Amino acid sequence: MDSTGIHAALRGRFDTAVGELAPGPFEPSIEVDASAIEAVCTFLRDEEGLEFDNLSNLSGADYPDLERIQAVYSLFSYKQRHSITLRVNADRAAPVIPTVEAVWPAANWLEREIFDLLGVEFSGHCDLRRILLPEDWVGYPLRKDYEEQPDYHGISTVRESLLTMKKD
Amino acid sequence: MQAFLDTFLGDAAGLERQLGYLAGMAVFGSVVVFGFVLPFAGIVTWAERRIWARIQSRVGPNRVGPFGFLQWLADGVKNILKEDLIPTVADRPLFRFAPYVVMVGFIAAFVCVPFSSDLIIADLNIGILYVTAVTSLVVVGILMAGWSSNNRWSLLGGIRAATQIISYEIPASLSIFPAVLLSGTLSMQGIIGAQGAAPWQWHMFHSPFTLLGFGLFFTAALAEGNRTPFDLAEAESELVAGFATEYSGMRSTLFFMAEWGNLYVIGALVTTLYMGGWQLPQFTYNPVLMNLAQAGVFMGKSFACVFFMIWLRATLPRVRVDQLMAMCWKYMVPLAMLSVFGTATLMVALPNGSHTLRMATFAVVVGVVIRFAFKVRFHLKRARELDYSSLSSGASQGLSS
Amino acid sequence: MSVELEVHNSQGLPTEEMTLNMGPQHPSTHGVLRFIVKADGEVMRRAIPDIGYLHRSIEKIAEKVGWHGFMPYTDRVDYVAAMACNQGWAMAAEQLADIEVPRRGEYCRVIAAELSRICSHLLGVGAMGMDMGAITPFTHAIRERDMIMDLIEELCGARLTFNYMRIGGVAWDLPHGFVEKVSHYLDHLEPVIEEFNQLLGFNRIYVKRLADVATVDADMAIAWGLVGPNLRGSGVDFDVRRDLPYSVYEDFDFDVPLGSGEMGSIGDSWDRYIVRMREMVESIRILRQALAGIPEGPVIARVARNFKPPVGDVHVKIEAPRGEQSWYVSSDGSEYPHRVHIRTGSFTAMGIIDRLSHGLMIADLVAVIASMDIVAPEVDR
C-alpha cells in the first residue's frame, strides 16, 4: 500500500488526531498528535492490510527555534513490505510523549535513548532511565542549547588550550 | 627401588637398613620432583604453545633461546618477580595455603609412577589406589582457593571445578578396574608386569571391554585435570579465571604448574594401566642400560599422551557444566560399569584370555588409526602452500622483512 | 551494589539470589559491555545489560564537523565492518542533495562493502568459536581477515577504519591488478570457509552448546526489532540488499540464507551462526560478479566542497554485516547536519538479551551475545 492509502486509512479511523500527509522533499510523513500516538500505532500494527509489525527507527530531533522536540517514527511491515514515517511533536519546555512500548517491544530501548539524550519523557514506559550516559549525568546532550557541566565527579570536562598549557 | 638400593646397603640390618631405604627414596624423590616434574611442568607450556602455534598457522615463541625453548624460564622468573597481591577481604591463611595443597596433591602422585622396572620411588602394593586417593587432595585446594578469594566468580569457579573433579572420580576409578582385574594386583609394577612389550599384549587391546575402559579412563582423567573440553572451571567465559582469579604472581603459577604437571600424571597413569608401561623386550643384561631404555619407552608413551591432550585442547570447544555432569553420570558411569563387568565375565568365561579377541581388537584399532592417517594425508595434500606475497601486494612487502 | 533477594526455589525452600557482575573489562572481543546477572546458582533469572561504556557521542559530533568531515567518524560507528557505515552516511547525504553516484563508483562501493562484510563475519564467527572454547578456528579466521585487510589497505590505505567512501562516490579508484588479486584471494578463501565449518560448525560439542539456546521465533524477532543475520536466523526472509535494493545490488544474483532449525529449532543460536557462514559464501558470489562486471568511468560525482543540502530529512536503510542500519539524517540547509541518528543492529540485539536470558545458564549468556554478533561500538556509538 502506498502512503496515500495508509494516510486515508488513518484519517478514516482517527480523523483530526492525524495530520495531513506531508509529501516532503524526500519521503512522505504523517504528523500525529502526541496523545493519539499509541492508539495510532496499535491500529497500524493490527489492521488488516497495514500490518506494521516493526518499528524500524525512532529518532528525536531538537528544533529550538520552533520550540519543539520532534520524535520521528519509521515503521516497516515485513508482511506487506511497505513503510511509513510518523512525526510527533512535543513542547520543548516539558516534552512528554506516550510510550509505544506495548505495541513494539523494540521501542523500549529506543525511547530510553531519546530520554537520555534529549530529555523527552515517555509516559507509561516501564523503565525510563538513562541508557548511554551514567545515571547521575546532568543535562541532555543532543539539545542544541546543551552546556556541558564543568566537571563530573571531580574530573574536569574542560580541555586546556594547547597554547596556554604549561610545558612540563 | 628397594632391590636397587640393596646393592648399596650390603648387609646392613634393621633400623639402619630402613633408614638407608628412606634416604635413597628421598634422594630419588627429590631428583624426580626437582629434576623432572617441575621442569616438565614448565617445559610443557613451551611445548603447548609451539604445538598450538603449528595448529593455528602461526609460529609460537621463538625469541627466547633456540626455538623459544627458554620462554618458560623467562615466564617463571617474571612470575616470581611479580607483586604478590592478596585482597584485603580475602581469608589470608587459606588464601596462602591453597596453592600448596594443590601442589602436594599433585606431586605426591609421583611416588608411585613407575619410570622403569627399578626406577620407582616406592612400589606400594596399593599403588594405583594410592595415586587415586592422593590426587583427590587437589579438590580441597581448589575449594580453598575459590572460597578464600571472597569473590563470587571465584567461588562459582571453585565449586564447579570441585564438582567436576569429584564427579569424574567415579568413572575414572571404575575404569581402573579392568586393568586391575586383569593384572590381579593394585601395584603399579604388577600391572605393568601383567602386560607385554608388543602392542597387542597391552591391557588396552585385551578385549573390547578394556578398550572401552581405556577410552573412559582417558576422558575421565582429562576431566579431572580440568583440561579442555572440560576446562569450564578456569577458562570459561565467566570471563575471568575461575577459582584462580584473585591470585597473582607465583601463587597462580603454582596452580597452573599443577595443572600442566597433571598432564604428565594422566599420561603416566594411562601408560601404566593400559599401554604396557615400560615393557620392552630384554635386549641386554646390563641393568643400567635396560632401565634407561625402559624409562625411555615409558617417557615416550606418556609424552605421546601429553601431546594428544595438547592437541585436543587446541581443537575442541568447551562443554557446558550441565552437559558435563550429564555426560558423567548418565553415560560414562554406566559404560564404565559395562567395561568392568564385561572384563570380569570374560575372565571367568575364558580364564586364559582369548588370543583371537585380543588380535581382533588390536586390528580394529590399527585400522581406525590407518584410516585417520589417510584422511589427514588427503587433507595435507590438498592444503596449498600459502604464498602471502602473491595475495597481498607491494603494500605489505615494504613492511614485512 | 548487590541486592540479595529472598526467593524460593522449585521445592519451596527459601534460597538467595546471587548478583554477579560481568564487568566492562573481560577477555572478549565484543568490547566493553557490562551485564548485571541475577542468578540462582548456575541458572540466570535476569541478565540486565548496562551499556554506554563506549559512548563517544558520534551523533553530536556530526552536528559539529559537517557533512564531509563526518565520514571518518562513521567508520567508528562499527569499526569491525566500517565500509557499510561509510556507505550509509554517503547514501543519506546523496539522497538529501539528489546526487547520483557514477556506476563505477557504485561498483567500487559494493566491492568494498562485501569485502568488509566477509571481514566482519569472519571475526564474528571466530569470536563465537573462541567464546565456546575453540581457540583454533579464531586464529584461522583472523589469518583470513588479515589477508582481506591487506587487500583493503591496498585499496584505501587503512586496515580498520577505512574512510574510503565520499559523498558522491568513493575516494580512489581500484589500483592496478586489484581485480586479479581479489579474484585470486577469493579462490583461496572458499575452501577455507568450508574447512572452518567442518572444524567448528558441525562439531558435536559446539552444536550442543548452541542448539536450542536462546531461540527467537520470527514474530518475536520482528517485534523486538532484530535485523540482519539475527532476523534471518529466525526464518524471516528479508535482506535489504535484495528487498529494498540500493546501490547496484539489483545487478547481482545472490541467495539469502535463512535459518531452518537444522540442529535444533529455528531461531536458535546455531541458526544465527550458520546464516553468517553461508552469507560469507554469498558475499563471495557477489564479489565475483562485481569484479567481472565493473564498468569504466569516474568513481565520484562532482560535489561542492561546502556541501549544503536542502532542508528536509530522510531515512536510509543499508544492510550492514550486523544487520540493517537505519540512518535518519535531517538537514536544515546549512553546512552542518541538523541531526544524525543511527539505529544499529547490535543496539536492538542488546535490547532483547534481558528477555532471552531468563532460564539460561551463565555459560549460555556468552553464547547468546556471541551468536547475536554484538559489538560495543555499534551499541553505544
Side-chain angles (χ1 to χ4, degrees), chain B residues 283-342:
Chain B
F283 65 91
T284 170
Y285 285 103
N286 180 347
V288 172
L289 218 54
M290 195 63 197
N291 271 307
L292 278 177
Q294 286 170 340
V297 166
F298 186 82
M299 297 288 201
K301 289 180 188 170
S302 34
F303 287 165
C305 288
V306 170
F307 171 76
F308 187 70
M309 288 188 273
I310 293 174
W311 180 7
L312 213 54
R313 184 168 181 192
T315 317
L316 294 178
R318 233 170 261 138
V319 181
R320 204 174 59 200
V321 67
D322 61 324
Q323 294 166 347
L324 181 86
M325 288 297 144
M327 202 169 81
C328 171
W329 293 105
K330 293 204 269 194
Y331 298 103
M332 288 181 71
V333 169
L335 283 177
M337 300 262 203
L338 175 69
S339 131
V340 170
F341 288 131

Side-chain angles (χ1 to χ4, degrees), chain B residues 110-161:
Chain B
F110 279 90
V111 165
C112 272
V113 166
F115 292 100
S116 81
S117 50
D118 285 327
L119 292 174
I120 179 171
I121 300 178
D123 186 18
L124 303 175
N125 56 356
I126 50 158
I128 190 71
L129 186 62
Y130 164 81
V131 171
T132 320
V134 108
T135 49
S136 306
L137 208 51
V138 168
V139 179
V140 177
I142 290 178
L143 273 174
M144 279 166 70
W147 175 260
S148 63
S149 301
N150 201 343
N151 174 344
R152 281 198 196 108
W153 290 109
S154 303
L155 184 63
L156 255 185
I159 291 179
R160 272 197 200 165

